[in-house]
Amino acid sequence: MRRAIAATAAVILTGALIATAPAQARNQSAAGPDDVDTTSLTNAVKVKGIMAHQQQFQKIANANDGTRASGTPGYDASADYVARKLREAGYDVTRQTFTFPFFRELSPTTLTQLTPTQQELETAIFTYSGSGDVSGSVVPTNDLVIPATPAPSSTSGCQASDFDAAPAEPSIALIQRGSCTFEAKVDNAKAAGYDAAIIFNEGNPGRTDLAIGTLGVPKDIPVVGLSYADAVALNEDIVAGGATAHVTTDVEVDLERETENVIADLPSNSKTTNPDQTVVVGAHLDSVVEGAGINDNGSGSSTILETAEQMSELRLNKNLERPVRFAFWGAEESGLLGSEHYVANLSEAELADIYANLNYDMLGSPNYVRFVYDGDGSDTSPAGPPGSGEIEKIFTDHFDSKGLASDPTEFSGRSDYGPFIAVGIPAGGLFSGAEGVKTAEQAATYGGTAGAAYDPCYHQACDDITNLNSDALHELGDAAAHATGVMTMSKAGLFTDGSRTPQRTTAKQGSGEAHGHPAR
């Protein structure tokens, strides 16, 4: 994929002017299974094309209160745009609607320590928190891990026995992140009689900043976050004689808000060698309510939209071994709800026809790393379903062929591959980093700033058209296009014995977490 950006369309990205670059001859893409040559596709998919879609997403957000969140007019306009571009490229487009519990903050959340010293504490609301105004004593669970251990170990709030019975007067539970879902922690706090909950970050490396997350489903008590350092100081006051606090939250919840997935298939008259081996190439289309979501995940959506257009333009869709299906998921930021709805509503026959899932979630992080999902589980746990290791190798071989390093990232359930791997469909994909902190070793390999977040505007209003790294878009976009080509054009496929699909399981993904909302 050539980085060709016209001077008239030069864009300020991550504080630096990306000027016009002449088209440069590229080395042939790495051979994948069956020595598939994807050069024509990777040369056609350009940063300029990706950025054209990104600019449209920014315009849509600007016209719709700065957001493209599912359940808002900004998302509807984004879906309209994507559906129109796909139809123009010749695809059969389905708009799969579903309802979900919509949530947004109506006024700023506050957390004030009242005693022994009054001070405002930095906080943020948890998605699906209830509204409320609570003043009362702060009571920690009886199993806080302070100081934090080097690796995550806290089970605070995961059992009902972690909570002492709430006092008769209003009270606020203080809970540490770790081990179980935020939803479980809050349910246990409510059952113990608490009127609000503060969840603070665990304190291990990468888990020290302000805790944010989703509760999965709406709750009826206020739930807010706190950093590890602020929680340690608050707990010291509690141990020394007690502390009180004041929490306010003001939210809108609509349990039946409608949104949609946009799904594009090859035209019905298209012929492929293996029509029952569909490769689903997906990216979530929605942003968080707080911002335009241009990196998260306009970058993934724009990349697969550009890939779909170029596959059609090059007429590659006329000669595929396997059908390609491009999917733009809704309500990912509310807990992978769009992809879960899609997988849950497939018939057994339709499910059997899904050969693999490629997932592209955040490909343009300013302080990026080239993360590849660890399909074979060789560096992280768990491994993906059979075939996921072969998908991982398509990406790593491609980067190796370009002299580019890559790092593994776990199948943590934090993006839309989750519902696919939960039913045994092999998956893989790319990720440029979110709220995590770049290590010194990563900075030495990839450049950028050690000790800083991969995306400093993650889930914030500043995730706009300036919050992108063109090198990340080029390198990860190139690999995304390559893998899409390999998976749809390879005669050999994922399995050396020529088997059509791996063994399926009927297990369904539980209420998932969005990549922006750590569940543990």
Side-chain angles (χ1 to χ4, degrees), residues 42-104:
T42 56
N43 281 349
V45 175
K46 301 179 176 70
V47 172
K48 179 180 178 181
I50 294 170
M51 285 304 304
H53 299 311
Q54 292 280 54
Q55 289 158 2
Q56 290 301 312
F57 289 146
Q58 182 68 64
K59 289 180 181 178
I60 288 169
N62 291 348
N64 290 280
D65 298 322
T67 187
R68 298 187 306 105
S70 271
T72 70
Y75 183 82
D76 295 342
S78 298
D80 288 344
Y81 171 76
V82 168
R84 175 171 59 83
K85 299 299 286 186
L86 290 166
R87 287 193 179 102
E88 289 173 353
Y91 292 88
D92 287 345
V93 176
T94 302
R95 302 181 72 160
Q96 182 186 40
T97 59
F98 60 96
T99 60
F100 75 108
F102 175 79
F103 173 91
R104 69 174 161 186

Side-chain angles (χ1 to χ4, degrees), residues 205-209 367 369 371 434-440 442 449-455:
R207 291 189 170 207
T208 58
D209 294 339
N367 197 29
V369 166
F371 286 115
E435 83 277 28
V437 175
K438 178 172 276 188
T439 67
Q442 289 171 338
T449 305
Y454 303 116
D455 182 354

